[in-house]
Amino acid sequence: MATLRRLTIDDHAAILALWQRAGLHSIRPEGRDNRSEFEKQFAGGQIAIGLEEDGKLLGVVLATHDTRKGWINRLAIEPDYRRNGYGEQLVQAAEEALREAGMHVMAALIEAGNDASLALFEKLGYAPHQHLYYVSKRDSADV
């Protein structure tokens, strides 16, 4: 049986490995996702929640907030364990953690073409916003 737990900096390597196996495109292991940057993110309030079975990390999600809106980021499930409700468990755990931090609006960014994640979030009551654009400005490709 899979169990949820808050992850720590000691789980950094396992998180990165899972993201890579899951095919996340936004990983920056030499930049914002390196261990020292992760330590800063945890110190700043980022929450990482993992789903484990027999000591193996099967899924992970990050939860952050900007003091007015909660953000659910980088949801990933081990490819061989998808379609078992694990994504739903992780999103709900992230929502709970964000509510505990005082957030009442939750949001997620989903990579284009990730229809499975879009369907999951819609199933959980998230509505796509068709008139919004995500823009970013980066100091380097690693951030």
Side-chain angles (χ1 to χ4, degrees):
M1 174 168 222
T3 58
L4 292 165
R5 77 170 173 90
R6 293 255 178 126
L7 302 176
T8 69
I9 192 62
D10 293 332
D11 298 298
H12 177 259
I15 293 168
L16 281 182
L18 175 58
W19 283 346
Q20 290 169 337
R21 288 190 306 275
L24 266 66
H25 301 288
S26 59
I27 305 168
R28 302 290 185 271
E30 302 303 318
R32 68 178 177 211
D33 296 321
N34 71 42
R35 188 178 173 95
S36 64
E37 290 299 315
F38 241 61
E39 284 181 301
K40 291 176 194 173
Q41 293 162 20
F42 279 130
Q46 175 174 270
I47 298 166
I49 301 169
L51 187 78
E52 294 179 320
E53 186 174 78
D54 298 324
K56 179 180 180 178
L57 187 62
L58 303 180
V60 66
V61 68
L62 300 182
T64 62
H65 68 81
D66 60 13
T67 71
R68 63 181 186 85
K69 183 183 293 181
W71 288 95
I72 299 173
N73 296 303
R74 298 191 174 187
L75 173 66
I77 306 297
E78 186 73 47
D80 291 341
Y81 291 84
R82 292 177 179 163
R83 308 278 188 269
N84 288 309
Y86 294 155
E88 187 171 335
Q89 284 181 279
L90 284 164
V91 170
Q92 289 170 340
E95 289 174 343
E96 183 177 316
L98 291 166
R99 284 189 184 97
E100 287 173 6
M103 301 303 107
H104 300 286
V105 176
M106 312 301 169
L109 296 174
I110 300 168
E111 293 177 347
N114 190 342
D115 297 335
S117 283
L118 182 58
L120 170 66
F121 278 91
E122 287 178 338
K123 174 185 173 187
L124 295 174
Y126 289 74
H129 294 270
Q130 296 181 1
H131 301 290
L132 294 177
Y133 295 95
Y134 172 70
V135 298
S136 67
K137 183 176 181 179
R138 299 170 190 270
D139 289 338
S140 78
D142 288 331
V143 294

